[in-house]
Structure formats: C-alpha cells, structure tokens
C-alpha cells in the first residue's frame, strides 16, 4: 500500500471515461493507481485496464485512512454534467486532492491556466491565455483556442473546437465535433449537441443543435 515515497491515487467512476483517465495517468507515469471506486455494485470485482473496481464510497474512506490523498474523476458526461460535479465535490469534501490529468500527447500552452481536477486528453490542444476552471474535461482531439474561458465542471467532447475568446459557463456540455465561433458565449448548464456549429451566443440551461446551432428546448 501507500508508502512515504509513493504518489498514489484512486479513480472515482468505472465507466468509459475512466479508461481514458487511467490511460493518461499510466502514460504520464507520475502516479500509481490503487483502485477504481464506483457506486454500481454490478461493477465490483471487475477491472478497468487492469485496475480493480473494489467497491463503493465506503472503500474510499478506507483508502483515505491508508494515506491516499489524491483522486481523479472517471465520471464522464452524456450531456448532463450533474453527476460529474456531484462526485467531484463530495471527494473534495472528504479532503481528497483532485489530480490534474494531462496525457503526454496533449499540447498545452505554458501560458494557459488549468484549474484543479482538469483532464486534458491525447491530441487535444489548449492555447495561450486559455483559462480552465475546476473539474474541466477536454476530450481527445478537442481544441480550446487562445483566451477561451471555461468555468467549473465543463465537459468538451471529442474533436470539438472552441475558437479564440469563447466563454463557456459552469457545467456546460460541448458535444463531440461541435464548433464554437470566436468570441461566442455558451451559457451555464447548456448542451451544445454533437456536430453543432455555434455562430451566435447560446443562453443558459438549453439544448442547442444543428448548423448553425439553434435552441430546440430548455434543458430538463
């Protein structure tokens, strides 16, 4: 188990996103992964990329008692970032420190600012002056260009492109392959659908899809 010279963490959530996070941590080689923890009892006893899924939240307390101080979020998003936010906040309240996960094949400007718990996946690009809040995930191949401002708990899907100066509100979801034109604002808790192209500001708590993106309904 954890010793004084070993940097250890646990993964919270055993879904598909956990595979990306574990792969990135393995590739960076800075932390050892003790276990995956998930509330779904049907996953207990299984493995994610060779890392055992050991149980639910009660196991998290055990690892904390044994000296594990850090976690990485394995919870992704299917258009709703509420669970991602909830698990992250609860882990912080237990005193665990969120890892900044950055795959070695990501390109991140030294002039960008990355908040606690950010996850930057392979072949993604973070430009100079970009500011990412806490618990922001930028999936594989996505581009967050210069001077973008992403609030806490934002999820940017695979291959999405945020052009320069884009602002994204807290808890928003940017779907795979979506494009946001420069200087556009995407509201908090909003879903921008896969492949959408936002050329006008999008308000908070709505679902916007299409080319150009148009609001189709309020988010439930």
């Amino acid at each position: 188990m954890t010793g004084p010279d070993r940097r250890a963490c646990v993964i919270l959530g055993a879904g598909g996103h956990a595979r990306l996070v574990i792969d990135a941590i393995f590739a960076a080689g800075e932390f050892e992964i003790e276990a995956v923890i998930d509330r779904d009892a049907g996953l207990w006893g299984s493995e994610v990329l060779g890392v055992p899924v050991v149980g639910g939240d009660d196991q998290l307390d055990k690892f904390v008692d044994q000296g594990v101080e850090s976690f990485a979020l394995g919870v992704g998003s299917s258009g709703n970032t509420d669970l991602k936010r909830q698990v992250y906040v609860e882990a912080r309240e237990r005193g665990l420190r969120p890892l900044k996960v950055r795959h070695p094949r990501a390109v991140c400007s030294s002039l960008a600012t990355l908040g606690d718990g950010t996850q930057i996946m392979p072949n993604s690009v973070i430009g100079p002056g970009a500011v990412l809040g806490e618990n922001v995930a930028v999936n594989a191949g996505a581009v967050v260009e210069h001077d973008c401002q992403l609030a806490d708990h934002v999820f940017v899907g695979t291959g999405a492109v945020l052009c320069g100066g884009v602002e994204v509100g807290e808890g928003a979801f940017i779907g795979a392959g979506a494009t946001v034109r420069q200087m556009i604002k995407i509201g908090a808790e909003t879903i921008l659908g896969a492949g959408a192209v936002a050329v006008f500001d999008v308000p908070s708590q709505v679902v916007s899809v299409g080319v150009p993106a148009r609001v189709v309904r309020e988010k439930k």
Side-chain angles (χ1 to χ4, degrees):
M1 190 51 66
T2 307
D5 298 322
R6 186 178 181 192
R7 305 174 74 194
C9 69
V10 292
I11 307 298
L12 306 184
H17 187 69
R19 300 175 70 86
L20 298 174
V21 173
I22 290 170
D23 176 66
I25 292 173
F26 282 166
E30 296 179 358
F31 278 80
E32 296 286 343
I33 303 174
E34 294 291 319
V36 177
I37 292 170
D38 196 287
R39 297 171 180 175
D40 183 354
L43 297 174
W44 300 352
S46 64
E47 294 184 345
V48 182
L49 299 184
V51 182
V53 182
V54 298
D57 290 348
D58 58 320
Q59 297 297 310
L60 182 57
D61 292 332
K62 181 185 75 173
F63 284 108
V64 171
D65 290 342
Q66 293 173 343
V68 174
E69 297 179 346
S70 302
F71 76 96
L73 204 61
V75 178
S77 178
S78 298
N80 189 331
T81 60
D82 291 347
L83 180 60
K84 169 181 162 66
R85 183 204 312 258
Q86 177 188 353
V87 174
Y88 180 87
V89 169
E90 289 178 359
R92 296 223 68 170
E93 289 175 347
R94 290 172 184 252
L96 287 165
R97 180 176 64 249
L99 296 184
K100 293 181 182 179
V101 177
R102 176 178 167 186
H103 196 284
R105 292 203 307 274
V107 177
C108 185
S109 170
S110 61
L111 300 178
T113 301
L114 306 181
D116 291 342
T118 48
Q119 298 180 345
I120 313 299
M121 294 304 165
N123 302 318
S124 59
V125 177
I126 310 298
V131 178
L132 279 59
E134 282 197 54
N135 192 28
V136 169
V138 179
N139 226 321
V143 176
V144 178
E145 259 294 2
H146 65 88
D147 303 306
C148 287
Q149 307 280 319
L150 277 59
D152 297 346
H153 312 297
V154 167
F155 187 93
V156 181
T158 302
V161 177
L162 308 185
C163 297
V166 165
E167 296 182 22
V168 182
E170 183 171 324
F173 175 89
I174 309 298
T179 300
V180 183
R181 186 175 64 81
Q182 63 269 24
M183 309 305 293
I184 292 297
K185 296 180 180 179
I186 305 296
E189 307 293 339
T190 274
I191 297 171
L192 183 65
V197 178
V199 296
F200 305 105
D201 291 350
V202 182
S204 297
Q205 297 184 326
V206 300
V207 177
S208 185
V209 300
V211 182
R214 299 185 183 279
V215 174
V216 293
R217 62 176 173 85
E218 294 184 356
K219 182 181 173 185
K220 296 180 179 179

